[in-house]
Amino acid sequence: MLWILRTGAPWRDLPRSFPPWPSVYARFRRWTEIGLWSHLLGYFRDELADEEYLMIDSSGVRVHQDASRVKEANFQQAMGRSKGGLSTKIHMACDGLGYPLGFILTGAERH
């Protein structure tokens, strides 16, 4: 799962040294549905945070052309128009050790 999240590769491109991609994807979805990822982020924030420094950064991500066909739900889906087209902006805050403290998704035109 972490390899997919780090590389941004499609699930089908998971290397053969890992379990089959449908199994990994099913577990990822199950962990997402039960809130494991939110729990881990909360643990990092509450137990391990070094609050001496706070680092904030944002990055823009282009929306796939098939997802961009949705007209009414763009604001709810954190999609917005920028110079490069339809995209999403990820805003993240990390502590002094680089642990994530939280993030929000907005449309690309938001600051």
Side-chain angles (χ1 to χ4, degrees):
M1 286 178 236
L2 296 177
W3 186 87
I4 292 290
L5 294 174
R6 181 178 54 100
T7 62
W11 286 102
R12 292 178 187 268
D13 290 346
L14 192 66
R16 293 192 184 274
S17 59
F18 294 111
W21 75 265
S23 301
V24 178
Y25 175 73
R27 184 167 293 174
F28 175 79
R29 291 293 307 152
R30 205 169 30 240
W31 288 359
T32 301
E33 289 170 2
I34 66 171
L36 179 68
W37 300 115
S38 298
H39 176 74
L40 287 174
L41 186 61
Y43 174 76
F44 289 139
R45 183 181 58 241
D46 298 339
E47 300 294 328
L48 302 175
D50 177 9
E51 297 176 352
E52 185 174 353
Y53 295 103
L54 178 64
M55 297 175 281
I56 301 171
D57 195 12
S58 63
S59 180
V61 181
R62 291 287 310 268
V63 173
H64 190 273
Q65 62 187 7
D66 292 336
S68 66
R69 294 185 183 142
V70 177
K71 301 274 186 222
E72 294 85 25
N74 285 348
F75 180 74
Q76 294 144 344
Q77 297 293 325
M79 292 187 273
R81 293 259 174 227
S82 66
K83 290 181 183 178
L86 201 57
S87 29
T88 297
K89 192 176 280 186
I90 304 169
H91 307 270
M92 179 167 260
C94 294
D95 69 357
L97 299 173
Y99 290 126
L101 300 174
F103 70 94
I104 58 172
L105 301 176
T106 63
E109 77 283 355
R110 310 280 297 188
H111 300 293

